[in-house]
Protein backbone atom coordinates (compact mmCIF):
# COMPACT_ATOMS: atom_id res chain seq x y z
CA UNK A 1 0.00 0.00 0.00
CA UNK A 2 1.12 3.50 -0.48
CA UNK A 3 1.77 6.29 1.96
CA UNK A 4 0.53 9.83 1.93
CA UNK A 5 3.14 12.33 0.92
CA UNK A 6 4.34 14.44 3.86
CA UNK A 7 2.35 17.51 2.82
CA UNK A 8 -0.93 15.72 3.52
CA UNK A 9 -0.03 14.31 6.94
CA UNK A 10 0.07 15.86 10.37
CA UNK A 11 2.59 13.31 11.56
CA UNK A 12 4.61 10.42 10.29
CA UNK A 13 4.83 7.87 13.08
CA UNK A 14 4.46 4.33 11.76
CA UNK A 15 1.65 2.87 13.85
CA UNK A 16 2.34 -0.68 12.66
CA UNK A 17 5.50 -0.70 14.81
CA UNK A 18 3.45 0.41 17.83
CA UNK A 19 0.94 -2.33 17.02
CA UNK A 20 3.76 -4.88 17.14
CA UNK A 21 4.68 -3.62 20.60
CA UNK A 22 1.03 -3.94 21.66
CA UNK A 23 0.98 -7.58 20.50
CA UNK A 24 4.16 -8.28 22.46
CA UNK A 25 2.67 -6.72 25.62
CA UNK A 26 -0.39 -8.95 25.19
CA UNK A 27 1.96 -11.93 24.69
CA UNK A 28 0.64 -12.60 21.19
CA UNK A 29 3.18 -14.37 19.02
CA UNK A 30 3.29 -13.24 15.41
CA UNK A 31 5.50 -13.73 12.38
CA UNK A 32 6.32 -10.99 9.87
CA UNK A 33 5.78 -12.44 6.37
CA UNK A 34 6.36 -9.30 4.31
CA UNK A 35 7.69 -5.82 5.04
CA UNK A 36 6.91 -2.43 3.55
CA UNK A 37 9.75 -0.29 2.29
CA UNK A 38 11.81 0.12 5.41
CA UNK A 39 11.22 -2.10 8.40
CA UNK A 40 7.49 -1.93 9.09
CA UNK A 41 5.45 -5.12 8.88
CA UNK A 42 3.06 -5.31 5.94
CA UNK A 43 1.75 -8.87 6.27
CA UNK A 44 1.91 -10.85 9.51
CA UNK A 45 0.70 -14.25 10.61
CA UNK A 46 -0.96 -14.91 13.94
CA UNK A 47 -1.77 -18.57 14.40
CA UNK A 48 -2.97 -19.70 10.94
CA UNK A 49 -4.37 -16.33 9.87
CA UNK A 50 -2.62 -13.75 7.69
CA UNK A 51 -3.16 -10.03 8.25
CA UNK A 52 -2.48 -7.16 5.86
CA UNK A 53 -1.56 -4.14 8.01
CA UNK A 54 -2.16 -0.52 7.03
CA UNK A 55 -1.79 2.56 9.18
CA UNK A 56 -2.83 6.19 8.86
CA UNK A 57 -2.29 9.25 10.97
CA UNK A 58 -5.00 11.89 11.10
CA UNK A 59 -4.50 14.17 8.09
CA UNK A 60 -5.21 17.88 7.72
CA UNK A 61 -8.67 17.13 6.31
CA UNK A 62 -9.62 15.40 9.57
CA UNK A 63 -9.73 11.81 8.28
CA UNK A 64 -7.56 8.73 8.11
CA UNK A 65 -6.39 8.04 4.55
CA UNK A 66 -5.19 4.62 3.34
CA UNK A 67 -3.90 3.67 -0.09
CA UNK A 68 -3.85 0.04 -1.25
CA UNK A 69 -2.11 -1.46 -4.25
CA UNK A 70 -4.47 -3.54 -6.39
CA UNK A 71 -2.33 -6.65 -5.78
CA UNK A 72 -2.89 -6.35 -2.03
CA UNK A 73 -6.65 -6.10 -2.47
CA UNK A 74 -7.22 -8.73 -5.15
CA UNK A 75 -5.55 -11.55 -3.20
CA UNK A 76 -7.71 -14.67 -2.87
CA UNK A 77 -6.72 -16.41 0.34
CA UNK A 78 -8.69 -18.07 3.06
CA UNK A 79 -7.99 -16.99 6.61
CA UNK A 80 -6.83 -13.50 5.62
CA UNK A 81 -7.79 -10.23 7.31
CA UNK A 82 -7.04 -6.53 7.03
CA UNK A 83 -5.88 -4.55 10.06
CA UNK A 84 -6.42 -0.79 9.84
CA UNK A 85 -4.55 1.23 12.47
CA UNK A 86 -5.63 4.83 13.08
CA UNK A 87 -4.09 7.51 15.22
CA UNK A 88 -2.26 10.77 15.41
CA UNK A 89 1.20 9.69 16.53
CA UNK A 90 -0.35 7.12 18.85
CA UNK A 91 -2.45 4.04 18.31
CA UNK A 92 -6.03 5.25 18.85
CA UNK A 93 -8.24 2.86 16.89
CA UNK A 94 -7.67 -0.67 15.60
CA UNK A 95 -9.98 -2.39 13.13
CA UNK A 96 -9.90 -5.98 11.91
CA UNK A 97 -11.96 -6.80 8.81
CA UNK A 98 -12.21 -10.12 6.97
CA UNK A 99 -10.27 -9.64 3.73
CA UNK A 100 -13.11 -10.82 1.48
CA UNK A 101 -15.51 -8.29 2.99
CA UNK A 102 -12.91 -5.51 2.73
CA UNK A 103 -12.11 -6.49 -0.86
CA UNK A 104 -15.78 -6.38 -1.92
CA UNK A 105 -16.12 -2.89 -0.45
CA UNK A 106 -12.86 -1.48 -1.85
CA UNK A 107 -13.35 -2.90 -5.35
CA UNK A 108 -16.54 -0.82 -5.63
CA UNK A 109 -14.21 2.20 -5.81
CA UNK A 110 -11.91 3.37 -8.57
CA UNK A 111 -8.14 3.25 -8.90
CA UNK A 112 -6.57 6.67 -8.34
CA UNK A 113 -3.13 7.86 -9.41
CA UNK A 114 -2.36 10.76 -7.09
CA UNK A 115 1.22 11.73 -6.45
CA UNK A 116 2.57 8.22 -6.84
CA UNK A 117 3.97 6.22 -9.74
CA UNK A 118 1.20 3.68 -9.53
CA UNK A 119 -2.58 3.73 -9.08
CA UNK A 120 -4.10 2.59 -5.82
CA UNK A 121 -7.46 2.26 -4.11
CA UNK A 122 -7.98 5.10 -1.65
CA UNK A 123 -9.95 4.49 1.51
CA UNK A 124 -10.81 7.05 4.19
CA UNK A 125 -12.18 6.68 7.70
CA UNK A 126 -14.04 9.73 9.04
CA UNK A 127 -13.89 10.21 12.84
CA UNK A 128 -16.34 13.14 12.71
CA UNK A 129 -18.93 10.89 11.02
CA UNK A 130 -18.85 8.16 13.66
CA UNK A 131 -15.98 6.28 11.98
CA UNK A 132 -17.59 5.41 8.68
CA UNK A 133 -15.31 4.30 5.86
CA UNK A 134 -15.63 5.38 2.23
CA UNK A 135 -13.70 4.45 -0.91
CA UNK A 136 -12.80 6.94 -3.65
CA UNK A 137 -15.08 6.66 -6.66
CA UNK A 138 -18.12 5.38 -4.78
CA UNK A 139 -19.58 8.33 -2.82
CA UNK A 140 -22.84 6.59 -1.89
CA UNK A 141 -21.47 3.44 -0.22
CA UNK A 142 -20.10 3.51 3.30
CA UNK A 143 -19.05 0.97 5.88
CA UNK A 144 -19.60 1.36 9.63
CA UNK A 145 -16.20 0.62 11.14
CA UNK A 146 -17.42 0.46 14.75
CA UNK A 147 -18.38 -3.20 14.39
CA UNK A 148 -14.78 -4.05 13.39
CA UNK A 149 -13.03 -2.17 16.21
CA UNK A 150 -10.89 -4.25 18.56
CA UNK A 151 -9.23 -3.28 21.84
CA UNK A 152 -7.27 -6.37 22.76
CA UNK A 153 -6.04 -9.19 20.62
Amino acid sequence: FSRLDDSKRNSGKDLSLEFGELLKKQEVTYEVLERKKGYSPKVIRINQNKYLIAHANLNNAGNYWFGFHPDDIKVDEKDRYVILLCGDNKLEKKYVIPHEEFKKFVLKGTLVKAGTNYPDYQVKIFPDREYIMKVTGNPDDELDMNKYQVENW
Side-chain angles (χ1 to χ4, degrees):
F1 32 86
S2 63
R3 296 182 57 167
L4 272 173
D5 66 290
D6 289 334
S7 66
K8 295 182 184 175
R9 293 188 308 178
N10 286 339
S11 55
K13 185 172 181 180
D14 187 338
L15 299 176
S16 56
L17 296 176
E18 190 171 328
F19 179 67
E21 291 301 314
L22 174 75
L23 291 176
K24 286 179 189 174
K25 285 180 188 172
Q26 294 180 5
E27 299 181 357
V28 175
T29 303
Y30 68 95
E31 174 187 6
V32 177
L33 302 177
E34 188 178 340
R35 293 188 183 275
K36 296 181 261 184
K37 292 179 183 175
Y39 301 102
S40 304
K42 177 180 176 182
V43 179
I44 64 172
R45 181 190 339 263
I46 299 174
N47 298 319
Q48 299 303 318
N49 298 325
K50 287 184 182 178
Y51 297 85
L52 173 66
I53 300 175
H55 78 276
N57 290 288
L58 194 64
N59 66 23
N60 293 332
N63 59 60
Y64 300 103
W65 179 98
F66 300 87
F68 293 91
H69 289 277
D71 291 346
D72 291 330
I73 297 300
K74 294 180 179 179
V75 170
D76 286 319
E77 283 186 61
K78 289 180 65 177
D79 304 321
R80 188 171 173 113
Y81 297 84
V82 176
I83 297 173
L84 300 176
L85 305 172
C86 300
D88 194 24
N89 268 335
K90 67 182 193 288
L91 197 55
E92 295 169 1
K93 299 276 186 181
K94 302 174 290 300
Y95 302 100
V96 178
I97 306 170
H99 186 268
E100 278 302 310
E101 191 171 336
F102 184 74
K103 179 167 87 170
K104 285 178 189 174
F105 179 77
V106 171
L107 291 179
K108 293 176 186 175
T110 56
L111 284 170
V112 178
K113 188 173 181 180
T116 61
N117 295 329
Y118 47 82
D120 58 10
Y121 291 100
Q122 297 182 359
V123 174
K124 294 178 183 176
I125 295 177
F126 296 87
D128 61 343
R129 295 181 57 202
E130 298 183 20
Y131 293 91
I132 59 128
M133 182 169 69
K134 296 183 90 48
V135 62
T136 301
N138 188 357
D140 297 327
D141 207 7
E142 49 189 52
L143 192 60
D144 179 358
M145 295 303 293
N146 291 301
K147 66 182 177 180
Y148 302 105
Q149 185 175 349
V150 295
E151 293 300 322
N152 294 312
W153 207 256

